[in-house]
Amino acid sequence: MSKREDSNVQVHENDLQQQRLIMDRVREVSETRQEKPQAYVDTYGCQQNEADSEKLRGMLVEMGYDITYDENEADVAIVNTCAIRENAENRVLGNIGALTHTKKANPNQLVVFCGCLAAVPESVEKIEQSYKHVGLIFPPSKIWKFPELLLRALIEKKRIFESDSDEGMIAEGLPTHRDGTVKAWLTIMNGCNNFCSYCIVPYVRGRERSRSVDAILEEACSLVALGYKDITLLGQNVNSFAGGENDFANLLRQINEIEGDFLIRFMTSHPKDASRELFKAMSECEKVAHHIHLPFQAGNDRILKLMNRGYTQEEYLEKIAIAREFIPDIVITSDVIVGYPGETEEEFNDTLELVEKAQFEAMFTFLYSKRPGTAAAKLHDDVSREEKQVRFQKLVDLQNEISERKHEEYIGEVVRVLVDGEAKDAEYPLKARTNGGRLVHLTGEPSLVGNFVEAKISHCNNWSLFGDS
Ligand code: SAH
Ligand code: SF4
Ligand code: F3S
């Protein structure tokens, strides 16, 4: 990335230094307390939000807080929200509502509302009017300012509303408190420029901003040194990454050069930028997992155009044919939306056709949800909810059949998996992932967590595999 671009997208070092000084100040106050203050962070939405929550926890730990998973104990209770669909929004609001009880029991509790919904004016207004127990609101673009906002909320004893006044910038060097010891998220870019007509993300996350290759490589190296075995590069469209002369394929090649036994994953990729060069790099980099999550959203060309996706069904299928040509065992997963305004039965049948042709390992099916401010929100919709539900079920049934068939191909095979955690299941106490990212319920000792092992697959369902270590 050139110097000029750098200074445009990076939060200035002086501003970050100020936040560090505030963190020191808050920690000094925390340390004078008899009991350590407790912070609770509840996360909704995608991995990007998970990664942001790890930064919030990192800053809280830096400020002398202990992390609790019980909101009743919390001095600071944070809800990091998602705005992608209405039901996500309703769930968040339900849980924010429930915090009135914890706040009543502990009037000093600070309830914080952040994440993507905090960048939607209608939602902020709702919180302002009807959720008076919320004491601090800030959008995703202001995460780096959290220490200052927290301090103000604590000492000013009034509600603080930070608005989305800029495009969202890259802040390097924020402390991170990671949840796991095996898998780590590594954000490589923020925001989205695509404005798919149904989607709220570009409005709440701002324009695409890529981190510098150097900063990414430094973080990747430190994750490997810390023993992480599975590193997932994150961005709304990771493959649109633009770090100066380096495109995403190039970045993969450079991370692949880091010494160590680890896997590189990435999500999400946009079909329009899924280039031959990307699949070539994937095939040549031995640490890059053989998996791509490549949402197609719809199978009909008119709907794809209305959605502003930038490809046709044929072009999408061509991309995945190229992927399979370079990487014959690649696992391809996808997202699809059912019930885009005005989508006819015939047009929906094109989605079924694409799914039949593509043969995804797994697919996330979503019912279209109208989002305020998006282009599609203005469209007339004459398809009933019942009809959409019928189509939704048809699609889920078709994909389940395909997933199960694909999973059956693993039975009897011995595959290398990474054991990434324990499960509360007496028979299969371990969780693992194949190189292609399929979930394996595994027999074996807890000491295997964090290791690559050979697993013999015994049976499956449409979502996961079962095996013996
Ligand atoms: N940036 C990624 C994914 C973003 S959101 C991409 O472009 O692929 C994750 C998924 O939510 C999308 O792939 C889409 O299938 C779904 N989604 C987004 N907006 C939606 C809406 N308004 N209604 C229903 N599903 C939606
Ligand atoms: Fe939303 Fe489209 Fe951007 Fe994905 S690419 S985040 S679906 S606008
Ligand atoms: Fe939701 Fe924001 Fe992610 S809207 S899906 S949390 S980018």
Side-chain angles (χ1 to χ4, degrees):
M1 182 174 290
S2 75
K3 277 260 166 357
R4 191 181 56 78
E5 280 175 323
D6 238 13
S7 57
N8 276 345
V9 301
Q10 299 250 356
V11 176
H12 199 277
E13 178 51 30
N14 290 351
D15 293 330
L16 288 173
Q17 181 56 16
Q18 192 191 348
Q19 301 305 315
R20 282 186 212 111
L21 293 174
I22 294 174
M23 286 197 270
D24 291 344
R25 225 173 109 195
V26 177
R27 187 175 53 243
E28 280 163 21
V29 177
S30 302
E31 282 166 355
T32 61
R33 291 178 42 158
Q34 225 158 33
E35 276 175 40
K36 258 187 148 184
Q38 309 274 317
Y40 165 83
V41 185
D42 193 11
T43 313
Y44 294 80
C46 63
Q47 291 84 359
Q48 219 104 74
N49 256 17
E50 298 282 350
D52 285 350
S53 283
E54 291 183 341
K55 298 218 165 65
L56 291 169
R57 289 196 191 99
M59 289 188 266
L60 284 158
V61 168
E62 209 54 32
M63 289 187 278
Y65 282 76
D66 267 349
I67 303 301
T68 173
Y69 293 90
D70 178 359
E71 64 269 40
N72 295 298
E73 289 183 351
D75 297 279
V76 174
I78 301 181
V79 186
N80 191 6
T81 65
C82 170
I84 200 81
R85 284 168 291 273
E86 199 179 351
N87 55 6
E89 178 169 352
N90 291 340
R91 231 168 6 144
V92 165
L93 292 178
N95 279 18
I96 279 276
L99 290 173
T100 46
H101 304 297
T102 58
K103 173 91 180 163
K104 215 177 228 157
N106 172 12
N108 284 327
Q109 183 176 64
L110 175 67
V111 178
V112 183
F113 183 87
C114 62
C116 295
L117 272 176
V120 180
E122 289 86 343
S123 306
V124 172
E125 204 179 305
K126 210 183 276 176
I127 296 291
E128 193 165 4
Q129 303 295 333
S130 318
Y131 295 78
K132 301 261 193 244
H133 60 298
V134 173
L136 169 60
I137 299 193
F138 62 91
S141 59
K142 294 295 164 62
I143 284 220
W144 61 273
K145 237 183 163 180
F146 174 59
E148 176 184 334
L149 296 168
L150 178 71
L151 181 66
R152 280 183 52 204
L154 291 175
I155 58 178
E156 290 179 22
K157 298 279 178 212
K158 63 171 198 207
R159 305 176 83 194
I160 308 279
F161 289 79
E162 177 78 7
S163 64
D164 209 358
S165 55
D166 60 37
E167 275 293 329
M169 301 204 283
I170 300 282
E172 291 297 348
L174 297 181
T176 305
H177 180 82
R178 288 194 157 84
D179 272 343
T181 53
V182 183
K183 293 197 286 192
W185 309 122
L186 199 176
T187 301
I188 63 164
M189 61 185 296
N190 294 336
C192 179
N193 291 349
N194 290 313
F195 288 94
C196 301
S197 60
Y198 49 83
C199 183
I200 201 164
V201 170
Y203 302 89
V204 294
R205 290 265 171 184
R207 295 296 67 71
E208 280 173 10
R209 311 276 198 201
S210 295
R211 290 178 69 193
S212 75
V213 172
D214 288 348
I216 295 168
L217 287 177
E218 195 183 310
E219 189 170 348
C221 282
S222 76
L223 290 172
V224 173
L226 285 166
Y228 286 97
K229 293 285 189 303
D230 180 317
I231 298 174
T232 303
L233 311 178
L234 291 182
Q236 283 304 334
N237 300 284
V238 273
N239 55 337
S240 316
F241 175 81
E245 288 95 67
N246 292 280
D247 60 8
F248 183 62
N250 246 316
L251 178 71
L252 282 181
R253 289 183 190 277
Q254 292 183 63
I255 300 177
N256 191 62
E257 292 291 306
I258 299 172
E259 255 177 64
D261 192 11
F262 67 98
L263 275 174
I264 306 164
R265 300 186 185 280
F266 55 89
M267 74 185 314
T268 298
S269 305
H270 195 298
K272 76 175 170 50
D273 295 322
S275 61
R276 265 191 111 76
E277 186 40 48
L278 168 62
F279 295 123
K280 188 161 181 283
M282 285 178 76
S283 71
E284 289 168 3
C285 293
E286 73 287 355
K287 290 173 186 138
V288 175
H290 288 186
H291 173 213
I292 189 161
H293 185 65
L294 201 63
F296 71 97
Q297 314 298 6
N300 175 267
D301 292 348
R302 184 185 79 95
I303 299 293
L304 283 168
K305 192 147 197 251
L306 282 175
M307 286 179 162
N308 194 27
R309 290 291 291 180
Y311 52 85
T312 60
Q313 173 181 138
E314 196 185 338
E315 284 162 351
Y316 180 88
L317 290 170
E318 244 171 57
K319 297 267 176 179
I320 62 175
I322 296 171
R324 288 183 171 131
E325 185 190 306
F326 275 107
I327 312 145
D329 67 346
I330 193 168
V331 167
I332 304 176
T333 56
S334 199
D335 292 346
V336 59
I337 297 175
V338 175
Y340 187 81
E343 186 178 48
T344 66
E345 175 83 31
E346 233 171 57
E347 288 167 338
F348 168 71
N349 287 339
D350 288 344
T351 291
L352 290 174
E353 179 190 89
L354 188 153
V355 170
E356 188 65 68
K357 286 184 177 161
Q359 295 286 303
F360 300 117
E361 257 75 1
M363 181 174 80
F364 296 90
T365 309
F366 301 108
L367 256 190
Y368 169 75
S369 168
K370 184 171 164 174
R371 299 286 68 206
T374 60
K378 297 182 201 82
L379 298 178
H380 174 67
D381 195 1
D382 53 5
V383 185
S384 71
R385 179 133 192 128
E386 292 69 39
E387 177 57 33
K388 289 183 182 184
Q389 201 61 51
V390 170
R391 292 180 191 173
F392 182 91
Q393 201 50 50
K394 247 190 205 167
L395 200 48
V396 169
D397 290 345
L398 172 61
Q399 182 57 47
N400 280 348
E401 229 180 270
I402 296 170
S403 293
E404 193 151 350
R405 206 164 53 229
K406 287 238 156 192
H407 281 165
E408 277 165 4
E409 291 169 11
Y410 289 85
I411 296 177
E413 299 281 312
V414 174
V415 289
R416 187 173 190 248
V417 299
L418 173 64
V419 185
D420 56 24
E422 292 183 56
K424 288 192 191 79
D425 184 316
E427 202 180 346
Y428 293 96
L430 300 177
K431 285 188 296 185
R433 293 266 167 190
T434 65
N435 181 296
R438 304 316 300 143
L439 172 64
V440 184
H441 302 283
L442 201 65
T443 61
E445 296 304 315
S447 59
L448 290 178
V449 172
N451 290 283
F452 288 98
V453 302
E454 302 288 325
K456 175 142 198 211
I457 305 301
S458 55
H459 59 288
C460 68
N461 57 30
N462 59 41
W463 196 247
S464 52
L465 307 169
F466 295 79
D468 300 301
S469 63

